[in-house]
Amino acid sequence: MTEAGAQTLTITRPDDWHLHLRDGAALRAVVGASARQFGRAIVMPNLRPPVVTVAQAGEYRSRILAALADARAAGEIDARAAGFQPLMTLYLTDNTAPEEIRRAGTSGFVHAVKLYPAGATTNSDSGVTDIARPRAALEAMQQADLPLLLHGEVTDGEVDLFDREAVFIERVLEPLRRDFPALRIVFEHITTREAADFVRQADGPIAATITAHHLLYNRNALFAGGVRPHWYCLPVLKREQHRRALVAAATGGNPRFFLGTDSAPHARHLKEHACGCAGCYTAPHALELYASAFEAAGALDRLEAFAGFHGPDFYRLPRNGDRVTLERRRWTVPDGHPFGDGDRVVPLAAGEVLDWQLRG
Ligand code: DOR
Ligand code: ZN
């Protein structure tokens, strides 16, 4: 049922097309949260050191599967959630070899390659310094039909932080689209009207992920009553007009837009810090946050396609066969979750009341 005022919402199980799972004790602590909600996730490769080879991606995948098995053995997740599928990515560098891309294309478990402009965000030091450098790798990706995932911000210190996505479109994305017309591209975690318009209008295979936090909040959330580090992510929240453009894109039914949480957990003390890390932890209540955003737009009936259809269609994977149910029930987002080694991680909107809750 999706009519206004409905008490439940049952939809095809969604996938998360942009997720940070971390590694080690943090991975073990957070993996269950995504597995409880989603069938699959595109897992970001920005570990330290980054995941740059297919062999490393295979090892990381094994560690994720082992963490899921541990969570199952500890009774933290059920058998269905234990079947959560991590879809791996490689981290593109200036020196990524075309042979590595070809290996990725035939691996069966590497589904995309992520481009971080060097210095753009968390663990991006080994990223691409100039888009001309990994040209051979981009050719190989186009050839192998392996999607390129973009952190779409320039890193030029002369460009205002709030303009870095729009400038990226002109300086990097338009030339890339022209030079590699058949390359499948995902413009990740878009935050501006310019990005939504570009993705809607561009020729060639392109899509964008949109986070729940960029649908729900504008940049005022960063400063409401004082500096709010748990609302700080990159690309940073933008003005209200941009938030509205993202809501229109997400709820408009266009298959180029789909769900990617960019859930990016950091230990509490590293967020609440003089130089706090970028990233919002949304995995435990991701669907609830998206449901709030879609309901506020009067578009709950559009959530299923955005969350469960457009992503697998773009990645050429089958849609999930099972379903999830959200119930209309007011509940309070917890203040924190365990994050391994005695640390805690604070979820986005901690202490706030949400209107929807995932059943089970
Ligand atoms: O806010 C962010 N956090 N943006 C990113 O691009 C990376 C992420 C992280 O890994 O923490
Ligand atoms: Zn991310």
Side-chain angles (χ1 to χ4, degrees):
M1 284 204 306
T2 58
E3 315 88 70
Q7 296 305 302
T8 64
L9 174 65
T10 298
I11 57 174
T12 297
R13 181 175 299 283
D15 303 300
D16 184 350
W17 299 98
H18 185 127
L19 176 64
H20 297 271
L21 280 177
R22 311 307 191 203
D23 210 345
L27 163 64
R28 171 67 182 83
V30 301
V31 72
S34 292
R36 266 180 228 112
Q37 297 221 333
F38 297 103
R40 297 164 288 197
I42 284 279
V43 179
M44 290 297 132
N46 63 331
L47 303 182
R48 233 178 243 282
V51 178
V52 295
T53 66
V54 175
Q56 288 169 339
E59 287 157 17
Y60 185 29
R61 180 170 177 273
S62 299
R63 296 197 295 280
I64 296 168
L65 295 178
L68 280 165
D70 278 1
R72 173 72 184 130
E76 293 167 23
I77 56 173
D78 64 17
R80 198 285 314 155
F84 173 79
Q85 289 176 42
L87 309 175
M88 308 312 291
T89 60
L90 293 190
Y91 185 113
L92 189 70
T93 71
D94 286 349
N95 307 312
T96 301
E99 299 74 56
E100 201 62 46
I101 299 296
R102 286 193 274 277
R103 257 196 294 283
T106 55
S107 68
F109 60 86
V110 175
H111 292 266
V113 178
K114 177 73 185 275
L115 185 158
Y116 289 99
T121 187
T122 309
N123 299 350
S124 62
D125 316 351
S126 326
V128 172
T129 60
D130 180 341
I131 191 67
R133 295 241 163 96
R135 238 189 140 71
L138 294 170
E139 301 268 12
M141 287 170 63
Q142 179 168 253
Q143 194 73 38
D145 200 16
L146 201 56
L148 173 69
L149 316 183
L150 294 173
H151 182 110
E153 289 190 289
V154 293
T155 52
D156 183 344
E158 306 271 289
V159 178
D160 189 277
L161 182 74
F162 291 93
D163 298 332
R164 288 180 185 181
E165 186 173 279
V167 173
F168 180 88
I169 296 171
E170 289 164 27
R171 288 196 195 165
V172 183
L173 188 46
E174 283 177 349
L176 201 57
R177 193 62 299 180
R178 249 194 334 267
D179 294 353
F180 301 96
L183 180 62
R184 279 190 289 155
I185 292 177
V186 184
F187 197 168
E188 298 289 340
H189 43 51
I190 60 168
T191 63
T192 57
R193 175 194 304 279
E194 288 87 345
D197 287 347
F198 181 83
V199 168
R200 206 179 278 111
Q201 291 158 14
D203 290 331
I206 188 162
T209 54
I210 307 181
T211 77
H213 40 290
H214 289 101
L215 292 175
L216 285 168
Y217 303 102
N218 64 38
R219 66 194 196 178
N220 286 348
L222 281 162
F223 306 108
V227 175
R228 304 272 200 138
H230 298 293
W231 271 262
Y232 173 56
C233 65
L234 288 171
V236 73
L237 294 170
K238 303 295 192 301
R239 286 180 181 277
E240 177 63 6
Q241 56 155 315
H242 296 293
R243 188 193 70 80
R244 286 177 192 240
L246 298 177
V247 169
T251 62
N254 185 324
R256 288 187 167 185
F257 299 103
F258 47 83
L259 184 156
T261 63
D262 198 14
S263 177
H266 292 275
R268 178 182 190 143
H269 65 277
L270 296 176
K271 291 285 291 174
E272 299 172 5
H273 189 275
C275 188
C277 294
C280 298
Y281 183 48
T282 53
H285 50 331
L287 289 178
E288 288 90 338
L289 293 170
Y290 280 106
S292 301
F294 274 66
E295 183 165 55
L300 268 180
D301 59 330
R302 296 287 176 88
L303 181 60
E304 181 174 45
F306 174 78
F309 296 168
H310 299 166
D313 294 355
F314 182 86
Y315 276 90
R316 307 206 183 120
L317 292 168
R319 297 174 181 178
N320 289 320
D322 63 330
R323 289 155 84 77
V324 296
T325 296
L326 288 151
E327 296 174 341
R328 187 184 294 285
R329 179 187 303 130
R330 287 169 66 77
W331 65 287
T332 304
V333 178
D335 286 342
H337 297 276
F339 196 48
D341 297 335
D343 281 335
R344 305 279 293 169
V345 54
V346 178
L348 186 77
E352 293 189 13
V353 173
L354 297 180
D355 288 336
W356 289 94
Q357 190 167 37
L358 192 68
R359 181 184 287 169

